[in-house]
């Protein structure tokens, strides 16, 4: 079936099992972390309401934690907690903590002094005052904090899919990578609905009068625990090896789908972000990952490519793609860009990537060093005949390539350069290009074919047999459909590849994907 | 009954109460009087240990309160405050029942006591199921009083109990307060900054200034034997009204004309102060009243008779 003509509804119906699982995981993640956040935040809020001198520092720390970008926070979690549910829950609970602590504190300190004093004067114990006077009176404010935390959590939980914890993020980020709007919406709409519904529900609870408060106080934790359980139930795993695939890989014919249909590979699979996948494999959290063949982390984490003996991964030769209007506007640009053509092979690219990703050299330095070594470097002419805008996706290899092009353009033409690096995934980069936000960015033939053009199966089968056929096809189609030209390929093939730890492959005697399948199917 | 010995309390560098000593007799109604910030509330709160003194001792019925469990101590002392301190999330019934619940009274006993109290305090029955914000200020204050009285504690502490009320409500609640039988059995310490209220309600008054007690005595003593200029000046502004309040019909009896008594007139005894007699006269028809001495003698008085008797009495009893 052609995905472009499929309606959102059809997509959701077709994927209803996944959708249900993801939704339950999402709800589960949200509420487990919320429950723990309440268990920590409420007593902490009460504590700082009692000992005001601590309130400043506790609220400041919770505030700082909240400002850590979610992706970074998830990244920090991996060395400590690995991947999967644990780090995701911890990250979510960290975000939920501030509103709960702060509102508990404000709620309790906001209780009329005369009332607490009267309670004390009547001979109530501190506990009694807390449970029967302060907490009930602070409850609307505390519930407002819980409500805020819930909505935050529903949002942040989409990122859980980065570290193999599931949730609706799998569809959302898979959809973004695959340029599949239906998939994005299938994740985004339920997530948004979830936020709206939970927000409304909590608003109702918040407004319930004092009389029914007691019922709420008992019912509320029970509801949260039950919802939290959604997450635990669908989790049972008995497979020998665990694979971690990116959301993009999961949804592709030349990815998980191909592995299943062509190889018949049945491996327990979790969805995880590219950013943490290699490290997780190294840390033995995962055994098989879907990497890129030139990734520097391959070298850094001592991973090895499992040979694609049935050739399901099409070629991904990198080349700059440029708007034809830009080529006209900037004569000499094409010449400068083509200077790099054929200069970088797979192992060179892996090494360059290793330098940025693992040795933490800047892309600028790596690019300049390489060009110096190959004699392509020329000092900038500091020209001002116009500004070429170079884009790049959000990973190291693209940064390096963008830097190389920047140096080549400045050294060989009179144009200035503006680089817009880190434009997220393929879709964002490509949209920037077609909308004249950038003039060029490095793209891969396979991506151009399967993500951007999405022709029918027959054409795909035809043109992926051979790297030149793929190149010719995408170049022709891009010029025809988008007015975008593929310049000469740079030389390396950054295709998808399954990877494992070198040592494990050796121990298990695995060389090809067929070996892997046989090992998993054994007994 | 309550013995305060050399009590001092600091808040940081600020001395809120300095070396205060005071004995309050059983069933006495003692008023702590003074301008705002002079340490009245602090003194009062030290009696139920809401505030702990820095030095000195306080004992109730001969027992040092510092050696008692503070929560148990507080349950045996009624406490009424200006802002009522009612729990906004409790019904009136639940509010009054707080201490009985702490003392684990059975509900029958609690309920019958609540019924009794709301009747005495003339609160409407329906208010029991209502929440504090649904009641008027005067009613809330009565509920506050009921809550303090429900277990019939021997000691009652009141911090400006009528302070938040408008003048009319205050006057009527004060009158009820004076008439309430329950309160006559109790040792009461009440804080106020209204001089007239102090004179109206107090058996004795402790006048405070900047953390010390300047003088303790009956209203008459304060008025006619002030310990120093501070006391005198404190009372000077309202001297006439206060004199009307401390002087009774009995005091001026001999200066009243022997009047013929018409039987349909309202009759009062000679314990009435000049002030309240004049108040009564305002509202009686044909502006006359019949007063009766303890010996059964009767006289008819009107406004002029009272005021001229009072000034004659003043002239012949120069207290200074
Ligand atoms: N909790 C407190 N912390 C610091 N200072 C206080 C506190 N309570 C009272 N004070 C100070 O002690 C003094 C006496 O206060 P208070 O006993 O409340 O006076 P009053 O009741 O006579 O108006 C005032 O100067 C007041 O500012
Ligand atoms: Mg006060």
């Amino acid at each position: 079936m052609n995905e472009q003509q499929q309606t959102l509804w059809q997509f959701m119906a077709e994927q209803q099992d996944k959708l249900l699982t993801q939704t339950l995981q999402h709800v589960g993640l949200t509420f487990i972390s919320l429950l723990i956040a309440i268990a920590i935040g409420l007593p902490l809020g009460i504590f700082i309401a009692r000992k005001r001198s601590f309130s400043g520092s506790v609220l400041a720390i919770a505030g700082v934690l909240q400002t850590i970008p979610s992706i970074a926070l998830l990244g920090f979690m991996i060395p400590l907690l690995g991947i999967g549910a644990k780090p995701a829950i911890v990250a979510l609970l960290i975000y939920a903590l501030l509103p709960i602590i702060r509102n508990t504190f404000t709620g309790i300190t906001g209780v009329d002094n005369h009332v607490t004093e009267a309670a004390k004067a009547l001979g109530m114990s501190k506990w009694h005052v807390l449970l029967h006077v302060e907490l009930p009176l602070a409850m609307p404010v505390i519930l407002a904090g819980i409500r805020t935390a819930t909505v935050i959590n529903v949002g942040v939980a989409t990122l859980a899919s980065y570290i193999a914890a599931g949730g609706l993020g799998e569809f959302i980020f898979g959809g973004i990578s695959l340029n599949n709007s239906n998939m994005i919406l299938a994740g985004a709409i339920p997530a948004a609905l979830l936020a709206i519904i939970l927000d409304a529900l909590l608003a109702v609870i918040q407004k319930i009068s004092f009389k029914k408060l007691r019922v709420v106080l008992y019912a509320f934790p029970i509801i949260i625990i039950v919802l939290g359980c959604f997450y635990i139930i669908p989790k049972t795993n008995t497979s020998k090896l665990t694979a971690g695939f990116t959301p993009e890989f999961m949804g592709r014919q030349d990815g998980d789908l191909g592995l299943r249909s062509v190889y018949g590979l049945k491996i327990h699979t979790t969805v995880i972000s590219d950013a943490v996948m290699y490290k997780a494999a190294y840390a033995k959290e995962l055994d098989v990952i879907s990497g890129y063949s030139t990734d520097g982390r391959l070298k850094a984490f001592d991973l090895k490519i499992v040979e694609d003996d049935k050739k399901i991964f099409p070629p991904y030769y990198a080349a700059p793609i440029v708007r034809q209007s830009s080529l006209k506007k900037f004569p000499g640009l094409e010449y400068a860009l083509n200077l790099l053509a054929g200069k970088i092979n797979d192992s060179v690219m892996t090494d360059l990537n290793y330098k940025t990703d693992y040795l933490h050299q800047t892309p600028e330095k790596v690019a300049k060093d390489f060009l110096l070594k190959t004699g392509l470097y020329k000092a900038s002419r500091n020209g001002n005949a116009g500004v070429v805008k170079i884009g790049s996706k959000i990973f190291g290899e693209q940064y390096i390539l963008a830097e190389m092009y920047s140096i080549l353009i400045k050294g060989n033409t009179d144009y200035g350069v503006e680089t817009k690096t880190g434009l997220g995934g393929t879709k964002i980069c490509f949209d920037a290009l077609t909308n004249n936000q950038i003039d060029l960015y490095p793209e891969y033939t396979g991506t151009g074919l399967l993500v951007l053009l999405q022709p029918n199966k027959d054409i795909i089968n035809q043109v992926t047999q051979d790297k030149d056929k793929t190149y010719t096809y995408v170049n022709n189609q891009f010029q025809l459909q988008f007015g975008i030209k593929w310049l000469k390929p740079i030389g390396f093939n950054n295709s998808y590849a399954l990877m494992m730890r070198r040592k494990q492959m050796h121990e298990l005697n695995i060389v090809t994907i067929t070996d892997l399948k046989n090992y998993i199917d054994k007994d | 009954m309550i013995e305060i010995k050399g009590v001092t309390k600091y808040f940081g560098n600020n001395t809120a109460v300095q070396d205060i000593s005071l004995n309050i007799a059983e069933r006495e109604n003692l008023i702590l009087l003074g301008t705002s910030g002079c340490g009245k509330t602090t003194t009062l709160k030290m009696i139920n240990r809401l505030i702990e003194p820095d030095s000195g001792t306080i004992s109730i019925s001969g027992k040092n309160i510092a050696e008692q469990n503070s929560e148990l101590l507080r349950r045996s002392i009624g406490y009424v405050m200006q802002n009522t301190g009612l729990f906004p999330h409790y019904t009136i019934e639940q509010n009054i029942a707080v201490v009985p619940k702490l003392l684990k009274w059975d509900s029958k006993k609690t309920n019958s006591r609540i019924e009794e109290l709301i009747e005495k305090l003339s609160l409407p029955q329906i208010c029991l199921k209502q929440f504090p914000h649904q009641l008027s200020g005067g009613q809330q204050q009565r509920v506050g009083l009921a809550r303090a009285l429900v277990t019939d504690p021997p000691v009652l502490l009141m911090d400006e109990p009528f302070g938040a009320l408008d003048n009319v409500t205050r006057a009527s609640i004060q009158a009820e307060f004076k008439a309430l039988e329950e309160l006559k059995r109790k040792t009461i310490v009440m804080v106020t900054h209204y001089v007239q209220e102090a004179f109206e309600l107090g058996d004795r008054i402790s006048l405070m200034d900047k953390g010390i007690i300047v003088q303790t005595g009956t209203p008459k003593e304060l008025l006619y034997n002030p310990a120093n200029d501070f006391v005198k000046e404190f009372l000077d502004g309202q001297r006439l009204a206060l004199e009307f309040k401390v002087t009774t019909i009995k005091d001026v009896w001999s200066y009243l004309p022997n009047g013929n008594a018409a039987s349909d007139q309202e009759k009062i005894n000679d314990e009435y102060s000049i002030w309240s007699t004049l108040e009564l006269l305002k509202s009686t028809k044909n502006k006359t009243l019949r007063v009766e001495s303890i010996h059964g003698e009767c006289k008819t008085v009107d406004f002029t008779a009272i005021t001229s008797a009072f000034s004659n009495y003043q002239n012949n009893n120069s207290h200074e």
Side-chain angles (χ1 to χ4, degrees):
Chain A
M1 194 193 305
N2 189 335
E3 275 196 343
Q4 276 168 324
Q5 280 145 28
Q6 203 179 22
T7 64
L8 172 63
W9 189 242
Q10 281 170 330
F11 180 87
M12 286 174 129
E14 194 179 278
Q15 303 278 337
Q16 56 176 320
D17 284 351
K18 260 195 189 169
L19 188 61
L20 183 68
T21 318
Q22 288 185 17
T23 309
L24 291 185
Q25 282 175 339
H26 208 92
V27 173
L29 271 177
T30 304
F31 279 91
I32 288 187
S33 49
L34 190 65
L35 184 70
I36 304 173
I38 294 171
I40 297 172
L42 198 67
L44 209 54
I46 294 169
F47 173 75
I48 59 172
R50 288 271 180 276
K51 307 245 180 284
R52 304 272 168 101
S53 50
F54 288 94
S55 65
S57 41
V58 169
L59 289 173
I61 292 170
V64 167
L65 285 177
Q66 183 133 35
T67 61
I68 302 175
S70 15
I71 308 265
L73 188 61
L74 291 172
F76 292 146
M77 292 289 157
I78 294 174
L80 301 172
L81 296 166
I83 57 166
K86 250 190 285 169
I89 289 170
V90 173
L92 284 175
L93 104 85
I94 283 175
Y95 285 113
L97 225 40
L98 179 66
I100 294 176
I101 297 176
R102 189 186 44 206
N103 281 40
T104 306
F105 174 74
T106 331
I108 289 183
T109 51
V111 173
D112 186 354
N113 258 335
H114 297 109
V115 173
T116 44
E117 178 164 274
K120 237 175 116 184
L122 292 171
M124 285 184 165
S125 68
K126 275 186 186 166
W127 267 107
H128 210 98
V129 177
L130 179 68
L131 290 179
H132 294 270
V133 179
E134 288 174 305
L135 281 182
L137 288 175
M139 198 46 72
V141 182
I142 296 175
L143 282 172
I146 293 176
R147 194 174 146 198
T148 311
T150 311
V151 175
I152 292 177
N153 270 8
V154 171
V156 179
T158 53
L159 299 177
S161 64
Y162 274 136
I163 50 170
L168 290 162
E170 287 186 12
F171 271 158
I172 297 175
F173 294 109
I176 292 174
S177 315
L178 295 167
N179 191 14
N180 181 339
S181 312
N182 284 338
M183 193 185 260
I184 299 177
L185 291 175
I189 291 174
L193 282 178
L194 215 57
I196 294 169
I197 292 169
L198 292 175
D199 188 53
L201 269 179
L202 284 163
V204 170
I205 293 178
Q206 211 180 329
K207 291 199 185 81
I208 286 177
S209 71
F210 285 127
K211 275 190 206 170
K212 294 177 199 148
L213 200 68
R214 205 150 296 176
V215 185
V216 173
L217 284 183
Y218 293 119
F220 193 59
I222 295 172
I223 293 172
I224 292 183
I225 291 168
V226 168
L227 290 174
C229 287
F230 280 165
Y231 191 69
I232 300 163
I233 294 162
K235 279 204 95 103
T236 41
N237 166 24
T238 51
S239 166
K240 285 192 270 192
L241 296 179
T242 303
F245 295 157
T246 60
E248 178 168 0
F249 189 84
M250 287 299 288
R252 298 175 67 136
Q253 187 53 43
D254 62 325
D256 188 52
L257 304 179
L259 283 177
R260 285 171 196 276
S261 60
V262 178
Y263 283 99
L265 185 71
K266 290 190 212 78
I267 186 166
H268 170 70
T269 307
T270 56
V271 178
I272 189 166
S273 106
D274 167 76
V276 300
M277 184 168 64
Y278 295 86
K279 201 175 225 173
Y282 175 72
K284 302 189 181 167
E285 299 277 351
L286 297 171
D287 301 302
V288 181
I289 60 170
S290 61
Y292 295 100
S293 51
T294 58
D295 199 297
R297 289 168 293 186
L298 195 63
K299 187 171 166 184
F301 292 114
D302 201 21
L303 304 176
K304 200 177 155 197
I305 294 176
V306 185
E307 230 171 78
D308 175 22
D309 49 330
K310 293 190 181 166
K311 300 266 173 264
I312 61 161
F313 299 133
Y316 278 72
Y317 282 86
I321 63 172
V322 198
R323 268 187 295 118
Q324 283 175 312
S325 58
S326 302
L327 289 174
K328 276 207 199 87
K329 188 173 156 197
F330 301 110
L333 176 63
E334 184 163 359
Y335 164 78
L337 296 174
N338 275 337
L339 286 172
L340 207 57
K343 289 291 190 305
I344 304 177
N345 65 22
D346 286 10
S347 63
V348 172
M349 195 66 236
T350 307
D351 190 53
L352 295 178
N353 283 332
Y354 173 72
K355 281 182 176 143
T356 53
D357 294 343
Y358 196 70
L359 302 181
H360 302 301
Q361 295 179 2
T362 62
E364 290 85 344
K365 179 176 160 39
V366 174
K368 190 176 169 186
D369 287 351
F370 173 80
L371 294 178
L372 280 170
K373 214 169 92 184
T374 49
L376 289 169
Y377 183 79
K378 276 190 194 161
S380 169
R381 293 199 209 162
N382 290 320
N384 55 2
V387 175
V388 179
K389 292 183 200 147
I390 305 178
S392 92
K393 300 184 200 177
I394 192 161
F395 57 91
E397 180 170 298
Q398 292 256 328
Y399 290 162
I400 298 172
L401 293 175
E403 277 308 320
M404 287 183 181
Y405 286 129
S406 169
I407 294 171
L408 288 173
I409 293 169
K410 283 186 203 158
N412 292 286
T413 72
D414 285 324
Y415 308 124
V417 173
E418 193 182 313
T419 47
K420 297 199 169 185
T421 51
L423 287 176
T426 300
K427 186 169 167 51
I428 298 170
C429 247
F430 185 69
D431 284 348
L433 186 63
T434 52
N435 289 309
N436 297 342
Q437 302 293 310
I438 54 175
D439 296 302
L440 66 114
Y441 76 91
E443 188 51 283
Y444 306 89
T445 52
T447 313
L449 178 74
L450 297 163
V451 177
L452 296 171
L453 290 173
Q454 300 188 357
N456 62 39
K457 260 192 192 139
D458 294 339
I459 295 182
I460 292 177
N461 287 338
Q462 256 176 45
V463 303
T464 54
Q465 295 308 311
D466 179 280
K467 66 173 187 171
D468 295 329
K469 270 191 190 159
T470 317
Y471 177 80
T472 315
Y473 180 81
V474 291
N475 192 14
N476 286 339
Q477 288 300 314
F478 266 59
Q479 297 199 19
L480 223 73
Q481 292 185 25
F482 312 118
I484 290 170
K485 185 171 177 186
W486 287 72
L487 302 191
K488 288 184 191 150
I490 302 165
F492 63 90
N493 174 19
N494 186 1
S495 72
Y496 269 130
L498 287 196
M499 305 170 182
M500 296 177 69
R501 288 183 297 284
R502 186 183 295 278
K503 196 161 162 246
Q504 192 182 30
M505 277 177 79
H506 182 75
E507 281 165 8
L508 302 179
N509 250 326
I510 294 174
V511 177
T512 63
I513 298 178
T514 308
D515 295 342
L516 177 64
K517 177 204 181 281
N518 292 338
Y519 171 75
I520 288 169
D521 289 348
K522 209 163 49 186
D523 61 54
Chain B
M1 177 86 187
I2 303 175
E3 226 175 307
I4 302 174
K5 260 195 256 165
V7 164
T8 299
K9 175 70 193 176
Y10 305 101
F11 289 112
N13 291 328
N14 177 11
T15 313
V17 168
Q18 188 168 19
D19 195 20
I20 277 187
S21 294
L22 189 61
N23 282 326
I24 302 154
E26 192 158 356
R27 300 188 183 205
E28 185 179 18
N29 200 348
L30 182 111
I31 311 282
L32 293 171
L33 175 66
T35 49
S36 171
C38 69
K40 308 179 296 289
T41 298
T42 306
T43 306
L44 191 76
K45 284 184 182 171
M46 287 192 286
I47 300 175
N48 66 357
R49 293 185 59 190
L50 283 177
I51 293 176
E52 302 284 357
D54 290 312
S55 62
T57 56
I58 299 176
S59 37
I60 298 179
S61 307
K63 277 186 274 178
N64 185 347
I65 59 166
E67 286 157 14
Q68 299 172 37
N69 174 305
S70 62
E71 282 150 23
L72 296 181
L73 172 79
R74 289 181 197 134
R75 289 174 203 173
S76 68
I77 300 176
Y79 188 75
V80 181
M81 54 207 274
Q82 174 175 352
N83 302 69
T84 74
L86 295 178
F87 300 163
H89 58 307
Y90 276 25
T91 61
I92 300 308
E93 192 171 25
Q94 290 168 326
N95 262 293
I96 302 178
V98 168
V99 185
K101 235 177 152 183
L102 290 174
L103 297 174
K104 306 213 158 56
W105 280 19
D106 68 56
S107 60
K108 231 168 87 191
K109 183 174 168 191
T110 309
N111 286 340
S112 67
R113 175 63 177 151
I114 291 176
E115 295 287 330
E116 183 188 346
L117 269 176
I118 63 161
E119 187 165 336
K120 280 185 183 169
L121 291 167
S122 49
L123 282 163
Q125 184 80 32
I126 47 149
C127 80
L128 285 181
K129 300 287 177 218
Q130 289 176 316
F131 288 90
H133 68 92
Q134 294 169 289
L135 269 58
S136 71
Q139 285 176 323
Q140 289 183 22
Q141 201 57 54
R142 289 185 179 121
V143 175
L145 190 58
R147 183 170 70 171
L149 290 176
V150 65
T151 55
D152 202 10
V155 177
L156 192 59
L157 307 179
M158 308 179 91
D159 194 351
E160 314 238 7
F162 314 119
L165 304 175
D166 60 90
N167 286 336
V168 178
T169 317
R170 167 145 27 100
S172 76
I173 294 198
Q174 274 175 6
E176 284 173 41
F177 179 84
K178 273 207 292 193
L180 208 61
E181 210 52 48
E182 292 232 357
L183 293 176
K184 296 192 175 146
R185 306 199 296 264
K186 298 200 182 303
T187 309
I188 299 175
V189 184
M190 183 194 289
V191 164
T192 185
H193 65 269
Y194 290 105
V195 184
Q196 296 207 26
E197 186 169 86
F199 274 67
E200 189 107 6
L201 302 176
D203 295 325
R204 281 194 305 153
I205 296 169
S206 287
L207 180 60
M208 294 185 68
D209 181 38
K210 299 189 189 110
I212 59 165
I213 294 181
V214 185
Q215 184 175 6
T216 301
T218 62
K220 265 189 182 166
E221 283 166 0
L222 258 65
L223 201 54
Y224 298 122
N225 289 314
N228 56 24
D229 283 351
F230 175 82
V231 181
K232 185 167 174 295
E233 277 157 27
F234 195 88
L235 305 178
D236 263 350
Q238 306 174 59
R239 181 159 290 273
L240 184 63
L242 297 179
E243 285 174 349
F244 278 168
K245 281 192 172 154
V246 299
T247 311
T248 59
I249 295 291
K250 193 162 72 185
D251 294 328
V252 301
W253 187 261
S254 53
Y255 303 99
L256 287 171
N258 292 319
N260 186 352
S263 55
D264 66 332
Q265 276 161 333
E266 211 174 311
K267 197 165 82 177
I268 57 171
N269 64 34
D270 62 0
E271 299 282 334
Y272 268 66
S273 68
I274 302 296
W275 178 273
S276 31
T277 312
L278 292 176
E279 287 279 303
L280 262 181
L281 273 173
K282 269 195 265 176
S283 57
T284 48
K285 57 178 179 192
N286 55 28
K287 307 293 175 202
T288 55
L289 269 176
R290 218 147 65 96
V291 291
E292 185 179 20
S293 78
I294 31 167
H295 312 298
E297 233 179 308
C298 279
K299 291 183 178 181
T300 299
V301 296
D302 61 7
F303 190 82
T304 346
I306 295 276
T307 45
S308 65
F310 175 76
S311 55
N312 286 333
Y313 165 78
Q314 289 288 87
N315 293 338
N316 293 339
N317 293 271
S318 178
H319 291 271
E320 273 130 326

